[in-house]
Amino acid sequence: MAGYKQKASLVKHSASFAGSFRSNRGRAAACCLLALVLGTAAANGLAVAADDSKPVESAKPLSRIGQKVADFALKDSKGVEYRLSELKDAGGQSPKLTVVAFLGTECPLAKLYGPRLTSLQETYAARGVAFVALNANRQDSLADIAQYVHELQIAFPVLKDAGNHVADAMGAQRTPEVFVLDADRVVRYHGRIDDQYSVGAARKEPSRRDLALALDQLLESKGVEVAETKAAGCYIGRVRTPKVATTPDAVTWSNQIVRVFQKHCVQCHRDGEIAPFSLTDYNEAVGWAETIRESVQERRMPPWHADPKHGHFKNERRLSGEEIALIEKWIAAGTPEGNAADLPKPLQFTEGWQLDGPPDVVLSMNEAFNVPAEGTVDYKYFTVDTGFTEDKWIRAAEVQPGARNVVHHVLVLIRPQAGAAPGAGGGEFLAGYVPGMRVRPYPDGMAKLIPKGSKLVFQMHYTPNGTPEKDISRVGFQFADPQDISHVVVTSRALQQKIAIPPGDSDYMLEAFSKSHDSDLLLLGMMPHMHVRGKSFAYEAHYPDGKKETLLNVPRYDFNWQTGYALAEPLTMPAGTRIRCEAHYDNSRDNPANPDPTQTVRWGDQTWNEMMIGYFDVAVPLGERPPGRQPRLALATAEARRKRAEELVKTYDANKDGRVQKDEVPARVAPIFKLLDADSNGEVTIEEIMKANEALLRGR
């Protein structure tokens, strides 16, 4: 067999990506394994899966170093056969070294590292190194492999290991996972490609390029300094032999598991959403069984981080202990499908907007952003003019990412026009998006306020997935009639900007208090915000009678999920209540997401800086001043407008005649005095101030 052709220059990433790999996946039959000579692999200690109910990887896996890999022949997606012993280097000679990489078409890390392997092949091809990849996933069809190769511009053969025989013989567990073989097909390096990407974490650059270092050392006839590393990624989707369900209580896909996934998972794990694979189809789901088991055991999925001891939340996504036990029992039984007659009806999802009706206005980012194929992307900000010539009350808002598979989260912020009162419209935060977020309108009579002339700021966080993407995100609003509003929804916060986390500190603590308020409020929800060194976050109410109550505890904060916690029922916060937030940070080397544990970390927008913000939504009765805010929102009733007007007159009325003369106000207030003096008689009355406030509120 002729060796595969090497490309002369670094492969360029395609300029666009037509949907995610999980879209419209056919389940074509896998190519046949033409020949697999196992030789002495088993005798030499290479692991073979013997129990379908358990992952092959053990607590102390056998070392692969020094083991000889038996020859094999496999086909690529076009039916072309490649034999390991016949691979050639760029010069047509038998290679000095061969890199065997196990890849999958949907695993996020396999997507990120596919182009990197091509880059490494370009670098080492002329030095006598051959590259070949194997796909042993039962859920990946030939069409899926062909699309993966095309979209990621993979420049070396990607072969189908049908039945995962080679993966079993070599002891491969995950994708991506690499083996470096010498000329005698003996394993000299095994593990990860580098340390830039891991599950839930990414460095700006790799701190150790393990595969490249191993190749360099072997080509220089040196021993490999670190010959084995732990590969991070998804479990290989092995072929399983389900046990026959013979008892009524047997757990199968059709009678129980699909219902658990419908309840907790398929909001994200379906075609077109951000999750890397779908859980709506049995044949797709069983290939991810071990990855699913690992994720739910470690409580990584579903993404819900609140301690169940405190608070009840309407958007809770936590799996119960009984549900986790069902999943484990199903996998231990070999993932039986069961009787199709037991299947529930497929869930129906709203196409387009989740709002309960069409949006009244849609505002998009003012320019497209090109998301690179890999690396890390700093926060991006896009400012959009609302064009609102009058104040708008928002009963519901929905943020839609333009490229869902690379948008980590979106925050839409209000920037009031120059001269508008600070904090107008609920402060800076208006609406947000995180994957799987469900859009709900505010309760009847409640709405947020966007003052006229405001601009919106889209704060965008992107996570590259291996292919270039173009994003134009947008937000849609449904308006409320001002006459129907009894409460304004305000996003307040407990904020601590004095941050100086010492190098190496694994448990640095900060606290912050919200400002108190003069009237009873209704607490609607909370959203903690830190960056990649964030470790834990807690909210505690300090009531005026001295009592304290933990409202929310997030013991394992995860920057990858900017989760808002919506209370199942609004909680009354008596006048004088303050909210204390406590945050802990890990700036040590043990934090895999830490970009640099040697630096003192201070406040800043970017992920390598830190923040401590305890956002919380409260409903404020109209006419009352929101906590820590100026009175801009407290003007929506006649009684409130009169009260405010009387306060202003009292402040400047030096001669106590019940009105304000021009010579009674300081020069800095003179422009405002001129605007309020409607009849231009040189004095401002309570009635004139009330009319001005009414015009401001109604946008007239």
Side-chain angles (χ1 to χ4, degrees):
M1 181 198 72
Y4 58 88
K5 294 181 180 179
Q6 305 285 340
K7 292 190 178 180
S9 61
L10 180 63
V11 175
K12 299 295 183 183
H13 298 302
S14 58
S16 63
F17 179 47
S20 67
F21 292 123
R22 56 187 176 274
S23 300
N24 302 318
R25 295 175 56 93
R27 294 299 154 204
C31 64
C32 295
L33 178 65
L34 294 185
L36 174 63
V37 184
L38 293 178
T40 58
N44 284 338
L46 291 183
V48 177
D51 183 355
D52 281 329
S53 70
K54 297 179 181 179
V56 180
E57 188 173 60
S58 62
K60 294 183 178 180
L62 293 174
S63 172
R64 318 300 182 212
I65 305 304
Q67 307 300 324
K68 183 170 183 175
V69 175
D71 195 15
F72 60 80
L74 299 171
K75 288 183 178 181
D76 68 8
S77 61
K78 297 179 181 180
V80 179
E81 179 185 318
Y82 294 81
R83 184 176 291 276
L84 178 63
S85 62
E86 296 177 0
L87 292 177
K88 305 298 180 183
D89 64 16
Q93 304 298 313
S94 296
K96 299 174 183 176
L97 301 171
T98 300
V99 176
V100 180
F102 285 85
L103 300 175
T105 65
E106 294 179 303
C107 181
L109 294 188
K111 291 182 181 181
L112 289 167
Y113 278 113
R116 186 156 301 177
L117 286 170
T118 291
S119 178
L120 286 166
Q121 184 221 24
E122 297 290 346
T123 300
Y124 288 95
R127 300 177 65 185
V129 180
F131 281 68
V132 64
L134 275 60
N135 184 309
N137 284 338
R138 61 167 289 171
Q139 70 270 26
D140 289 343
S141 69
L142 296 181
D144 299 329
I145 295 172
Q147 187 178 8
Y148 177 88
V149 170
H150 172 72
E151 297 291 355
L152 296 184
Q153 297 286 294
I154 304 300
F156 47 83
V158 180
L159 313 179
K160 181 64 179 181
D161 178 20
N164 45 265
H165 298 294
V166 177
D168 288 349
M170 294 183 67
Q173 307 299 321
R174 298 182 182 262
T175 64
E177 183 175 346
V178 296
F179 296 76
V180 177
L181 314 182
D182 63 18
D184 295 321
R185 301 199 305 274
V186 173
V187 178
R188 304 295 299 277
Y189 171 78
H190 164 241
R192 67 190 182 191
I193 297 165
D194 59 45
D195 67 351
Q196 182 172 7
Y197 301 112
S198 59
V199 177
R203 304 178 190 273
K204 198 171 185 66
E205 295 287 342
S207 65
R208 181 177 174 80
R209 304 176 189 271
D210 301 274
L211 177 56
L213 287 170
L215 292 175
D216 288 339
Q217 291 163 1
L218 289 169
L219 290 170
E220 295 169 4
S221 300
K222 300 177 180 178
V224 180
E225 182 181 353
V226 180
E228 201 151 26
T229 57
K230 185 176 181 179
C234 308
Y235 275 106
I236 291 172
R238 284 179 154 79
V239 174
R240 309 173 67 84
T241 304
K243 298 177 182 177
V244 178
T246 58
T247 60
D249 63 343
V251 179
T252 70
W253 167 265
S254 299
N255 68 5
Q256 296 199 60
I257 298 303
V258 68
R259 289 170 170 82
V260 174
F261 290 170
Q262 284 186 346
K263 180 180 178 182
H264 296 286
C265 309
V266 300
Q267 182 75 20
C268 295
H269 283 270
R270 56 190 171 94
D271 289 348
E273 292 297 325
I274 194 170
F277 55 89
S278 174
L279 288 177
T280 60
D281 175 73
Y282 170 76
N283 289 319
E284 170 82 359
V286 293
W288 294 94
E290 297 302 345
T291 299
I292 291 169
R293 171 155 57 183
E294 180 182 58
S295 297
V296 301
Q297 285 178 340
E298 295 181 359
R299 292 284 187 179
R300 294 202 312 264
M301 289 287 151
W304 184 258
H305 307 100
D307 183 345
K309 297 177 183 177
H310 305 285
H312 299 283
F313 305 96
K314 65 176 66 174
N315 60 329
E316 182 169 342
R317 291 184 285 197
R318 175 186 301 276
L319 285 170
S320 68
E322 292 78 10
E323 289 167 328
I324 292 176
L326 283 175
I327 293 171
E328 292 178 341
K329 186 175 181 180
W330 176 61
I331 295 173
T335 62
E337 183 174 10
N339 189 343
D342 295 332
L343 286 170
K345 292 182 179 180
L347 295 183
Q348 300 299 314
F349 294 95
T350 303
E351 296 296 330
W353 297 99
Q354 293 185 44
L355 298 167
D356 56 11
D360 295 307
V361 68
V362 177
L363 298 172
S364 300
M365 285 165 41
N366 54 354
E367 59 181 300
F369 179 74
N370 293 313
V371 183
E374 55 181 313
T376 57
V377 180
D378 299 342
Y379 276 27
K380 300 298 177 184
Y381 296 87
F382 302 88
T383 302
V384 178
D385 194 339
T386 62
F388 293 163
T389 58
E390 61 181 10
D391 290 353
K392 295 293 186 181
W393 291 94
I394 309 301
R395 67 174 292 270
E398 179 180 350
V399 180
Q400 285 193 342
R404 289 180 180 270
N405 51 339
V406 293
V407 174
H408 174 278
H409 76 263
V410 184
L411 298 183
V412 178
L413 314 173
I414 295 175
R415 179 179 293 169
Q417 66 178 337
E428 300 168 348
F429 179 80
L430 175 61
Y433 162 82
V434 294
M437 183 176 184
R438 292 173 173 85
V439 176
R440 295 182 176 88
Y442 293 115
D444 291 344
M446 298 183 185
K448 281 196 171 185
L449 178 65
I450 302 179
K452 68 175 183 178
S454 295
K455 298 181 187 296
L456 301 183
V457 178
F458 285 73
Q459 182 199 82
M460 305 297 303
H461 184 197
Y462 296 105
T463 53
N465 72 348
T467 58
E469 293 281 359
K470 180 176 290 186
D471 176 66
I472 302 179
S473 293
R474 61 181 184 169
V475 60
F477 298 121
Q478 288 181 336
F479 298 144
D481 187 333
Q483 302 297 331
D484 297 334
I485 304 304
S486 61
H487 289 73
V488 60
V489 177
V490 176
T491 299
S492 192
R493 62 192 182 183
L495 174 71
Q496 178 57 267
Q497 292 180 292
K498 295 179 180 179
I499 299 177
I501 308 174
D505 194 326
S506 63
D507 195 25
Y508 182 79
M509 191 274 283
L510 289 171
E511 66 174 357
F513 284 87
S514 69
K515 295 182 179 180
S516 61
H517 44 93
D518 300 329
S519 60
D520 293 354
L521 305 177
L522 293 175
L523 179 67
L524 304 179
M526 294 155 281
M527 188 181 82
H529 182 71
M530 300 185 286
H531 290 170
V532 295
R533 294 174 176 87
K535 183 177 180 180
S536 65
F537 203 105
Y539 288 72
E540 184 180 67
H542 287 215
Y543 296 115
D545 62 1
K547 293 182 179 178
K548 299 177 183 179
E549 179 184 9
T550 299
L551 304 172
L552 170 68
N553 181 35
V554 180
R556 293 175 61 188
Y557 177 84
D558 187 346
F559 176 69
N560 290 292
W561 299 97
Q562 301 290 310
T563 304
Y565 300 87
L567 290 173
E569 297 293 338
L571 178 65
T572 299
M573 308 293 286
T577 300
R578 300 179 72 193
I579 290 180
R580 176 185 178 269
C581 291
E582 180 176 313
H584 290 251
Y585 300 82
D586 183 356
N587 192 25
S588 73
R589 296 185 183 277
D590 293 333
N591 177 358
N594 193 346
D596 189 350
T598 68
Q599 296 295 314
T600 297
V601 184
R602 303 185 187 279
W603 173 276
D605 286 344
Q606 300 302 333
T607 55
W608 58 83
N609 306 128
E610 268 304 337
M611 287 186 171
M612 184 204 171
I613 308 175
Y615 291 111
F616 57 95
D617 277 354
V618 291
V620 184
L622 287 180
E624 301 292 345
R625 183 178 300 189
R629 306 292 182 187
Q630 297 298 318
R632 171 74 169 86
L633 296 176
L635 307 176
T637 67
E639 180 182 356
R641 291 193 293 275
R642 173 168 290 279
K643 181 179 179 181
R644 179 58 179 155
E646 290 173 349
E647 289 176 353
L648 287 174
V649 168
K650 184 177 180 180
T651 299
Y652 297 105
D653 183 16
N655 62 10
K656 310 299 181 184
D657 64 353
R659 60 194 66 206
V660 180
Q661 276 75 38
K662 186 177 181 179
D663 59 2
E664 290 179 319
V665 300
R668 61 183 174 82
V669 183
I672 299 176
F673 179 93
K674 185 176 181 180
L675 291 173
L676 295 175
D677 186 11
D679 56 11
S680 301
N681 67 348
E683 62 183 23
V684 172
T685 64
I686 291 174
E687 287 70 23
E688 284 177 317
I689 296 174
M690 288 179 63
K691 289 180 179 179
N693 284 337
E694 181 178 2
L696 184 64
L697 181 69
R698 302 300 180 192
R700 295 194 294 267

